[in-house]
Amino acid sequence: MRTLQQANLATIVILFQTRCGLSRGITYYLLSIAVTDFIVIIVAVIINRIGSIYFRYSLLSTTPGCRISTVLVYISRDSSVWLTVTFTLDRFVAICCQSLKTRYCTEKIASVIIGIVCLLSCIKNAAFFFVYQPLYILDGKPWFCDLKSSYYILPAWQCYQWLDHMLTPFLPFLLILLFNALTVRHIIAASRARKRLRCSENSKDAELANRNKSIVLLFTISLSFLLLWATYVGRFLFVQLTGEGYFGGLDFNDPQFILQEMTNLLQLFSSCNNVFIYAVTQTKFRQELMKLLLFPYTFLKRFIKR
């Protein structure tokens, strides 16, 4: 877990320096995704998961602390997901809509969209603070969180539950698939046209090569999101079709608890692997990462020479 934290922090540092050869708009999107992913690791994994297991009777394990941490998890999770969607949309516009590219794919628009996504995530997930009740009360103090039975019964909460899952991740699933499909179709058509104009199937095309690198990054992030969220979607549909509730206990030997935690693990892992995606798909990112890793050695070497 410490390695994942350090990897995401290194990603933030590298993207903040804007030395990866990407436009400022793309850098803003990737930097915002990296920041929200880092927050997900801190809040969802370290505080909410590890903290509740190894520090079971700390302040964070009280019902108010549990409620706040859970809301923060949902906010950071939704922000990360929808920033991935907006990044996919930005690349779709940049590649497929040349007339709109100069107006939409700018650092100003990127900043506004990132701010709107984070604000709407806060507003939408504030209601989760009211769906939990104490798992039990000990010496007059409420401990842990358990979903209220009204969350499954009242029509208002049922609508909110469906709205929550439609917005994350069903709608992002559809939008990412749609934008990627349209982008692929456009790239294939454009590649065939450029090859016909250059009258050579094997000639090198710098513009096409750069475009392909961006597409590799886009598709890798998008497909990673789709695959790692698939079990979460399957778990939600299973609960809705069978009428069973989510497991609310802490029995580590219960199969339902293991299945539910594995689903959450894969979902959270989608916020931890972007640094590896950058490293695999981007040459300049790997170069900057290597410089960052060797910085203590180079600094010490320069200090000794002086």
Side-chain angles (χ1 to χ4, degrees), residues 211-243:
R211 183 181 298 176
N212 289 337
K213 289 181 180 179
S214 298
I215 291 305
V216 169
L217 174 61
L218 168 64
F219 286 172
T220 308
I221 293 177
S222 301
L223 290 176
S224 171
F225 166 78
L226 295 174
L227 292 175
L228 292 174
W229 275 84
T231 54
Y232 180 86
V233 175
R235 174 65 176 167
F236 169 73
L237 293 176
F238 174 79
V239 170
Q240 297 302 317
L241 293 175
T242 61

Side-chain angles (χ1 to χ4, degrees), residues 101-267:
K101 176 181 177 181
T102 55
R103 290 178 293 172
Y104 182 81
C105 300
T106 63
E107 54 188 280
K108 182 179 180 180
I109 295 296
S111 302
V112 172
I113 291 177
I114 292 170
I116 292 175
V117 167
C118 294
L119 178 61
L120 291 179
S121 297
C122 294
I123 296 173
K124 175 242 177 185
N125 292 293
F128 277 108
F129 186 84
F130 305 99
V131 303
Y132 291 100
Q133 63 184 0
L135 184 61
Y136 57 84
I137 297 177
L138 182 63
D139 296 331
K141 291 184 179 180
W143 292 96
F144 302 105
C145 288
D146 187 25
L147 284 169
K148 297 178 180 178
S149 58
S150 60
Y151 184 67
Y152 301 101
I153 299 174
L154 292 180
W157 281 123
Q158 288 182 329
C159 291
Y160 180 78
Q161 186 180 8
W162 273 101
L163 177 64
D164 173 56
H165 285 82
M166 287 299 296
L167 292 177
T168 308
F170 283 109
L171 186 56
F173 257 73
L174 296 177
L175 291 176
I176 289 175
L177 288 175
L178 174 63
F179 293 143
N180 282 344
L182 294 175
T183 304
V184 167
R185 186 181 68 174
H186 180 86
I187 289 175
I188 293 175
S191 298
R192 290 174 179 174
R194 290 184 68 87
K195 286 180 179 180
R196 286 195 298 266
L197 290 174
R198 296 176 69 87
C199 300
S200 175
E201 294 292 330
N202 298 320
S203 60
K204 294 184 178 180
D205 192 330
E207 181 179 343
L208 191 59
N210 292 332
R211 183 181 298 176
N212 289 337
K213 289 181 180 179
S214 298
I215 291 305
V216 169
L217 174 61
L218 168 64
F219 286 172
T220 308
I221 293 177
S222 301
L223 290 176
S224 171
F225 166 78
L226 295 174
L227 292 175
L228 292 174
W229 275 84
T231 54
Y232 180 86
V233 175
R235 174 65 176 167
F236 169 73
L237 293 176
F238 174 79
V239 170
Q240 297 302 317
L241 293 175
T242 61
E244 295 185 9
Y246 292 101
F247 189 79
L250 290 173
D251 186 359
F252 300 119
N253 297 319
D254 192 294
Q256 292 188 38
F257 178 81
I258 296 174
L259 175 62
Q260 185 166 296
E261 290 304 299
M262 285 298 297
T263 299
N264 293 330
L265 173 65
L266 293 175
Q267 173 208 327

